[in-house]
Amino acid sequence: TYAFQHEHFWLRAADTSAGPGTGHPLVDTVVPVPDTGGAVLAGRWSARTLPWLADHQVSGTGVVPGAALMDLVVRAGDETGAASVEELVLETPLLLPERGGVQVQAVVGAADATDRRPVTVYSDTGADGGWVCHARGVLSPRGLP
């Protein structure tokens, strides 16, 4: 052995991309909303914990693909008993920060007279901008024809 040949044995941070018991890589936490029967699904997304998110680049910036937002909304529907996503409108691109991650939430509201529920997807990078709405949609208890 050579006295100046050093090796580092630091432990790597645990991969927390999937929360305990959620069974979904985009969702860390599911919080039911008792008064409405809705739910809030939350997760922290980053290129480190979900490397495939960084694959979609626009002008050198990581943009979360719309399919990931749809997957999150489908999972929100599963949590609230919705059989299908009736509508989903993407409003603002969700950009991945170069360092760190972004907190993402899908919020499912109360059912209307036809048992349809509104769903909204938000993100917050922790910067001064606050929460940004990325998608709005409607969950339906019936499957699509």
Side-chain angles (χ1 to χ4, degrees):
T1 62
Y2 180 64
F4 296 102
Q5 183 178 358
H6 297 283
E7 291 184 46
H8 295 281
F9 295 99
W10 301 111
L11 295 175
R12 293 186 180 182
D15 182 3
T16 60
S17 60
T22 66
H24 198 280
L26 299 177
V27 179
D28 295 333
T29 306
V30 178
V31 180
V33 179
D35 292 344
T36 66
V40 177
L41 288 77
R44 183 152 183 86
W45 299 358
S46 74
R48 185 182 64 77
T49 59
L50 301 166
W52 57 269
L53 284 177
D55 291 345
H56 192 70
Q57 297 274 322
V58 176
S59 298
T61 301
V63 178
V64 174
L69 299 180
M70 176 60 107
D71 192 32
L72 177 63
V73 169
V74 167
R75 181 71 174 109
D78 292 344
E79 286 294 327
T80 56
S84 65
V85 178
E86 191 172 298
E87 177 180 88
L88 186 64
V89 177
L90 303 179
E91 295 184 355
T92 306
L94 200 163
L95 306 177
L96 283 176
E98 288 184 27
R99 293 193 179 115
V102 59
Q103 185 68 34
V104 178
Q105 289 187 356
V107 180
V108 180
D112 65 11
T114 61
D115 288 332
R116 295 166 63 220
R117 295 180 178 274
V119 60
T120 311
V121 178
Y122 299 97
S123 77
D124 182 14
T125 59
D128 295 335
W131 290 95
V132 175
C133 177
H134 296 283
R136 293 182 193 274
V138 177
L139 298 172
S140 174
R142 292 171 295 284
L144 296 176

